[in-house]
Amino acid sequence: MAVIPVAIAGAPYEVRIEAGLLRRLGSEVRPFIRKGSVPVVTDANVAAQWREVVEASLTAAGLASAWLVLPAGEATKSWEHLARVVDFLLEQEIERKDNVIALGGGVIGDLTGFAASMVKRGCGFIQIPTTLLAQVDSSVGGKTAINTALGKNLVGAFHQPSLVLADPDALDTLSLRDTRAGYAEVVKYGLIDDAGFFEWCEQYGPALLKGDPQARETAIAKSVAAKARIVAADEKETAGVRALLNLGHTFGHALEAETGFSDRLLHGEGVALGMVLAARFSARLGLMTGQDAQRVAAHIGAIGLPASLAALGLDCDGRRLADHMLHDKKMDAGTLPFLLMRGIGQTFLAKDVDLSEVAAFLDEELAA
Ligand SMILES: NC(=O)c1ccc[n+]([C@@H]2O[C@H](COP(=O)([O-])OP(=O)(O)OC[C@H]3O[C@@H](n4cnc5c(N)ncnc54)[C@H](O)[C@@H]3O)[C@@H](O)[C@H]2O)c1
Ligand SMILES: O=C(O)C(=O)C[C@@H](O)[C@H](O)[C@H](O)COP(=O)(O)O
Ligand SMILES: [Zn+2]
C-alpha cells in the first residue's frame, strides 16, 4: 500500500492507495469510528456499483452503516442537497469527533465535506474517492463547496478530512468520459511544475485510460504527492502557491457556468480546455512558445478531451465568458490573478492580466 502523508499544520492525515481497498475498507476506517454505526453519503451510480461491497466490508469490521444516496451529477453540489446532508448528519446524531464517510467522486466529496465543516461547527469526514478526479485531486487538501447561481464553488470552507482511502480498482466501473475528465487534473500537475511528469503523461496517458493498473497507480501516487506538497505549503491559498492548482480553472469555471453546471461540460473537461486556453493565451502574450502551447493542445486532444473552444458551439462572446470570471475567488481588489505558463512545467501567477484582453482572446478562440 502507498501511504502519502498530508502534512497540514494542526490537521495532518494520510492518503492510502491500494488496489482492493474498497473490499477491506472496514478495517481501515474502524479506528476512526467511535460508535457501532457510521453514516455514509454517496450518489446513485456509486451505490449501484459499490454499496454492497462497502457495506459488507463495514459489517465485517463490526460496523453498521446508515446511507444517504443522492442523485449523481454536478447539480447535486447545491443548497438543496447540502441541506439534505446536514439534516441527515443531525438525524444520525453525529458528534464533533465522529466521522461521516464520503463515498464517491468530487461532487460527493465536496458536498459532504462542506456539510461536515458546518454541522456542530465541524465534525470529521473520511474521503473514499471513487473517480479518477477525486483520487488524484478533490479528496486531498480540504477544499469543500457547493455551486450557486452566480458561479462555481462560491460557498464553501477549508475543512480537512481525517483519512483518504483510494482504491484504483473502483475505477473499473467508471465511464470513459469520467475517466478522461479526471485525467485532465493529472496532466495539470505536469504542466504546473513537472515537465518530466507531463512527458510521462504523453507516454502512458493512453494506457491509464485503458485501465492499465501500473499506469493508474503511478498517476494517482504522483498526483497525490504533488497535491499534498502544495496544500501543506499553503493550506488556505494565501501564499500564491496553492493557486497554482487552479491552472485552467479560471477559463474552465467560466465555461462550466456558461453551460449551466451540467453534463454538457464536465469539470475535468472544462479544466482540460481551460489549460489549452491558458497555454494559447500565454503564447499570445509571448510568454510561452507556440510549439509548447501546441504540444499541450495536442496531448489534450489526443486523449479525447476538448481542446478547441470553437468546437464547444457556445452561443456567447468573449466578454460574457470574462464576466463569469469576475466571480472567481482569486479576485483581488478588482483584478484577477491568472495562471499562465512560461513553458511546460513553468506555471506562474500573473497579476497584471487585463480582462478585456482575455475577452478579446476568447472572441478569437470562439471564432477559430
Ligand atoms: N475539492 C477539490 O479540491 C476539487 C478538486 C477537483 C475537482 N473538484 C470538484 O469535483 C467535482 C467533479 O468530480 P468528479 O469528476 O469526480 O465528478 P462526480 O462526482 O460527478 O463523478 C462523476 C460521475 O461518475 C460517477 N461515479 C463515481 N464513481 C464511480 C464509480 N466508481 N463507478 C461508476 N460511476 C462512478 C458519478 O455518479 C458521476 O456520475 C466538481 O464539482 C469539481 O468542482 C473539487
Ligand atoms: O485544491 C485546489 O486548490 C484546487 O484548486 C483544485 C482544483 O482542481 C479544484 O477544482 C478546486 O475545487 C478549485 O477551487 P476553486 O477555489 O477555484 O473553486
Ligand atoms: Zn479542478
Side-chain angles (χ1 to χ4, degrees):
M1 175 159 60
V3 178
I4 299 173
V6 186
I8 303 269
Y13 54 96
E14 287 181 353
V15 181
R16 302 180 190 165
I17 307 162
E18 190 176 53
L21 211 43
L22 280 185
R23 297 189 185 277
R24 52 179 200 75
L25 95 166
S27 56
E28 297 289 328
V29 302
R30 191 71 193 90
F32 292 79
I33 311 296
R34 306 176 315 145
K35 298 173 179 165
S37 178
V38 59
V40 182
V41 180
T42 192
D43 74 28
N45 295 339
V46 179
Q49 299 288 351
W50 292 100
R51 177 173 176 165
E52 221 172 282
V53 167
V54 169
E55 209 164 9
S57 175
L58 291 170
T59 306
L63 284 170
S65 47
W67 289 67
L68 177 64
V69 181
L70 298 172
E74 187 69 33
T76 294
K77 269 176 59 170
S78 64
W79 287 111
E80 180 198 343
H81 290 100
L82 178 66
R84 282 187 69 186
V85 181
V86 166
D87 285 342
F88 169 68
L89 296 180
L90 295 174
E91 279 154 21
Q92 294 303 311
E93 299 190 348
I94 197 163
E95 297 173 7
R96 285 175 167 174
K97 290 182 185 164
D98 290 336
N99 282 292
V100 49
I101 290 177
L103 175 73
V107 165
I108 289 298
D110 280 16
L111 179 73
T112 308
F114 188 27
S117 79
M118 60 178 67
V119 165
K120 301 189 175 168
R121 299 199 188 90
C123 68
F125 75 117
I126 294 173
Q127 289 269 25
I128 305 193
T130 62
T131 62
L132 180 61
L133 182 141
Q135 294 188 355
V136 301
D137 190 350
S138 65
S139 62
V140 181
K143 267 193 184 176
T144 73
I146 57 167
N147 307 321
T148 80
L150 280 183
K152 180 83 181 174
N153 296 337
L154 290 188
V155 182
F158 288 97
H159 188 55
Q160 300 296 335
S162 315
L163 175 69
V164 182
L165 298 176
D167 180 352
D169 285 354
L171 309 182
D172 288 347
T173 56
L174 194 65
S175 69
L176 178 59
R177 184 178 180 195
D178 284 304
T179 308
R180 283 184 174 132
Y183 179 77
E185 304 273 22
V186 175
V187 175
K188 181 181 78 175
Y189 296 108
L191 292 177
I192 288 174
D193 63 0
D194 190 343
F197 186 54
F198 183 77
E199 271 174 40
W200 182 92
C201 288
E202 288 178 316
Q203 194 171 349
Y204 295 104
L208 169 57
L209 290 190
K210 286 192 189 123
D212 177 77
Q214 188 55 51
R216 256 185 196 167
E217 287 188 37
T218 302
I220 297 167
K222 281 283 283 184
S223 301
V224 168
K227 182 147 188 188
R229 174 176 45 81
I230 291 173
V231 300
D234 182 16
E235 182 192 1
K236 300 208 168 140
E237 205 171 298
T238 49
V241 178
R242 185 168 185 160
L244 295 171
L245 294 169
N246 243 224
L247 175 63
H249 284 64
T250 304
F251 289 115
H253 285 174
L255 296 170
E256 280 188 82
E258 186 59 28
T259 50
F261 302 115
S262 66
D263 58 11
R264 190 170 161 204
L265 186 76
L266 303 177
H267 173 74
E269 294 169 344
V271 170
L273 181 49
M275 293 190 297
V276 171
L277 293 171
R280 288 173 63 80
F281 188 54
S282 300
R284 188 184 198 255
L285 296 175
L287 295 163
M288 186 188 206
T289 66
Q291 290 98 309
D292 269 355
Q294 181 48 34
R295 196 174 151 198
V296 175
H299 181 55
I300 297 283
I303 286 297
L305 282 161
S308 150
L309 183 56
L312 270 193
L314 297 178
D315 182 20
C316 70
D317 62 7
R319 170 47 58 192
R320 187 174 156 89
L321 291 175
D323 282 348
H324 288 301
M325 296 177 187
L326 294 172
H327 303 296
D328 192 291
K329 288 176 292 307
K330 294 187 294 303
M331 282 295 287
D332 185 9
T335 62
L336 178 55
F338 235 87
L339 277 308
L340 298 178
M341 285 176 258
R342 293 198 177 90
I344 287 169
Q346 297 175 59
T347 296
F348 71 103
L349 192 60
K351 301 212 168 157
D352 53 357
V353 172
D354 180 350
L355 263 189
S356 49
E357 206 171 333
V358 174
F361 163 72
L362 288 170
D363 279 333
E364 287 169 22
E365 294 289 318
L366 283 160

